[in-house]
Amino acid sequence: MQRRRSVPHSFEERLVAEKERLEQQAEKLPPGPAKDQLLQKIDQIETASRIDKWLSSPGLQQPR
């Protein structure tokens, strides 16, 4: 019987894990369109992380 690997649970943890995975892939690729695509995906993940932090911040107020 195989052990299940620990899977990140929170959205932020999943973003960090995916970003690390893509960064490792990008390091192995030569410059070109495939690498550019991965770097763009990494930027999108960073943006999603910033938006998630902003939305979950205690200073954010509900619309009136």
Side-chain angles (χ1 to χ4, degrees), residues 45-64:
I45 289 172
E46 290 172 348
T47 300
S49 178
R50 285 193 300 273
I51 291 171
D52 182 58
K53 286 179 185 173
W54 174 69
L55 289 173
S56 60
S57 71
L60 187 64
Q61 297 178 0
Q62 294 182 359
R64 295 179 191 178

Side-chain angles (χ1 to χ4, degrees), residues 16-40:
V16 169
E18 181 67 5
K19 181 182 172 196
E20 288 173 357
R21 187 183 70 78
L22 292 175
E23 286 174 336
Q24 289 173 356
Q25 276 186 320
E27 287 175 0
K28 297 175 186 174
L29 292 175
K35 186 171 186 169
D36 291 342
Q37 234 177 358
L38 283 178
L39 295 175
Q40 184 178 15

